[in-house]
Amino acid sequence: MLLANKLSLERTIRGWTQKRVVSELRPCILISEKRIGQLEQGRAVPSLQEFSAFVKLYDLTSDELLNPIFADQANIETLNKYLSHHLIVQGNWSF
């Protein structure tokens, strides 16, 4: 799993929009929704300051954020539950 995918996965697991990530990061760093999109799409690499802020925000170690070996089944199951709840139960197809 690439860092971009991991950033997107961690945000989605929490049910957050990119706008929410921006507001959560604002006390630590100034970042835009556009920049979040670039990072999640792999079109940019986070600065050290951004990377550190994501580690704190998502309560991960740097290894967990960078290393695909740490991408465990629990995250996939959590994402599946979230998607099932929002797409099937609530009929909410917007993110």
Side-chain angles (χ1 to χ4, degrees):
M1 176 179 292
L2 299 173
L3 175 58
N5 297 19
K6 183 69 171 170
L7 291 173
S8 181
L9 176 67
E10 291 297 329
R11 177 180 59 79
T12 305
I13 284 172
R14 288 162 177 77
W16 293 355
T17 62
Q18 290 177 346
K19 186 174 186 174
R20 170 79 184 269
V21 173
V22 168
S23 68
E24 294 289 331
L25 290 174
R26 280 277 160 100
C28 299
I29 62 171
L30 292 177
I31 193 166
S32 67
E33 287 179 63
K34 181 179 177 181
R35 178 70 175 163
I36 299 291
Q38 291 171 341
L39 295 171
E40 289 184 356
Q41 293 168 12
R43 293 187 293 134
V45 177
S47 68
L48 184 56
Q49 184 183 21
E50 291 168 337
F51 181 81
S52 296
F54 282 117
V55 166
K56 290 177 187 173
L57 177 65
Y58 295 137
D59 193 30
L60 301 169
T61 66
S62 57
D63 283 342
E64 289 170 326
L65 195 53
L66 285 174
N67 195 335
I69 293 171
F70 290 103
D72 61 3
Q73 188 65 29
N75 281 344
I76 294 169
E77 290 172 7
T78 301
L79 179 59
N80 284 337
K81 287 178 186 175
Y82 171 81
L83 292 175
S84 295
H85 177 73
H86 285 278
L87 299 179
I88 296 169
V89 176
Q90 292 184 349
N92 181 0
W93 293 89
S94 61
F95 290 93

